[in-house]
Amino acid sequence: MSKVVVVDHPLIQHKLTMIRDKNTSTKQFRELTNEIGMLMVYDITRDLPLKDVEVETPLVKTTQKQLAGKKMAVIPILRAGLGMVDGIIDLVPAARIGHVGLYRDEETLEAVEYFAKFPQDIQERRLFVVDPMLATGGSAIAALDALVKKRDVNPENITFVCLVAAPEGVEALQEAYPDVDIYTAALDEKLNESGYIVPGLGDAGDRIFGTK
Ligand code: PRP
Ligand code: URA
């Protein structure tokens, strides 16, 4: 069974409280979402494998560490996942970026795919699928379907990263993809009758892009 990790670093928790505030501006919301994305991936990647390499400093030749293992890709779920990408790419600039576009049908709450474009060597990479919100889990599951079912990606190569998760979404995602680890900055109380996370932070996409 996968891990569910609440990344409780004080800086992340502080910034998350700021974006929950309904009075936080679009500009601040966008900046903070990127910063939290970066801090989360910094924490999540502490297990990345390293290898020994030789390097010549101005003084001597020495053996030091370099990243080894799979190359990485960040897969934002459009739109709101885009809000986390710049922060993550600042940290791992060599990572590729794939996109999966989904929206929630507001009546049925079902995720509908409208776009998908991934690096051609997607099966060889370690993937971070990112979306600020894990509510019913429908969007996350549809994004993983686009990778695992449609493109033969091994679910063990995937980590799902969000800012706020509802227990319902965590349960649904774990049931659909038991091999995918879930990292969230907060595990909130519940979903309301409209599928919003409570206490949550509202509609992440609208708050990042200023569309409401
Ligand atoms: C939001 C959010 C997630 C999804 C979560 O996206 O960014 O993708 O809802 O809800 P779920 O777990 O119930 O599927 P939305 O569909 O509002 O689209 P947007 O990112 O374009 O705003
Ligand atoms: N999507 C959001 O953006 N916010 C929620 O609370 C639930 C789904």
Side-chain angles (χ1 to χ4, degrees):
M1 188 53 117
S2 64
K3 283 188 287 190
V4 180
V5 180
V6 178
V7 185
D8 59 359
H9 191 289
L11 288 174
I12 294 177
Q13 295 304 313
H14 179 82
K15 289 171 193 286
L16 185 61
T17 300
M18 291 171 77
I19 63 169
R20 286 185 190 276
D21 186 338
K22 67 177 185 182
N23 294 315
T24 294
S25 68
T26 300
K27 175 178 182 286
Q28 262 188 313
F29 193 96
R30 211 180 274 146
E31 288 167 359
L32 288 162
T33 304
N34 269 313
E35 288 168 14
I36 299 171
M38 177 197 277
L39 290 167
M40 290 201 57
V41 170
Y42 178 74
D43 207 64
I44 295 165
T45 50
R46 57 175 70 248
D47 67 345
L48 285 181
L50 293 168
K51 64 181 177 193
D52 286 339
V53 291
E54 275 215 341
V55 62
E56 203 170 339
T57 75
L59 304 181
V60 287
K61 271 193 182 165
T62 170
T63 302
Q64 299 294 333
K65 301 291 179 193
Q66 191 175 72
L67 284 176
K70 286 190 191 324
K71 293 179 178 162
M72 290 177 256
V74 182
I75 316 287
I77 301 178
L78 307 182
R79 290 176 300 169
L82 283 177
M84 298 165 70
V85 171
D86 287 350
I88 297 171
I89 290 297
D90 281 348
L91 202 62
V92 281
R96 298 291 168 91
I97 305 171
H99 296 87
V100 54
L102 301 166
Y103 66 87
R104 267 202 323 179
D105 183 303
E106 294 204 347
E107 307 250 295
T108 64
L109 301 183
E110 294 224 348
V112 183
E113 182 181 315
Y114 63 85
F115 184 77
K117 184 87 181 168
F118 302 114
Q120 141 275 321
D121 59 351
I122 191 86
Q123 289 97 351
E124 319 303 323
R125 289 179 179 265
R126 173 159 180 196
L127 308 181
F128 297 97
V129 175
V130 303
D131 190 325
M133 310 304 279
L134 176 63
T136 63
S139 305
I141 292 168
L144 297 192
D145 287 347
L147 293 164
V148 176
K149 296 199 173 142
K150 299 189 187 161
R151 288 161 185 90
D152 226 12
V153 169
N154 180 349
E156 289 179 6
N157 292 348
I158 303 175
T159 303
F160 184 80
V161 187
C162 62
L163 305 191
V164 182
E168 294 88 335
V170 169
E171 197 182 319
L173 184 51
Q174 278 199 303
E175 194 179 321
Y177 284 101
D179 293 328
V180 172
D181 291 336
I182 303 169
Y183 285 80
T184 183
L187 187 54
D188 275 12
E189 198 187 317
K190 60 175 184 187
L191 291 180
N192 70 11
E193 56 292 345
S194 311
Y196 277 86
I197 301 175
V198 180
L201 50 74
D203 187 308
D206 282 341
R207 296 197 65 190
I208 290 166
F209 294 105
T211 44
K212 218 171 222 169

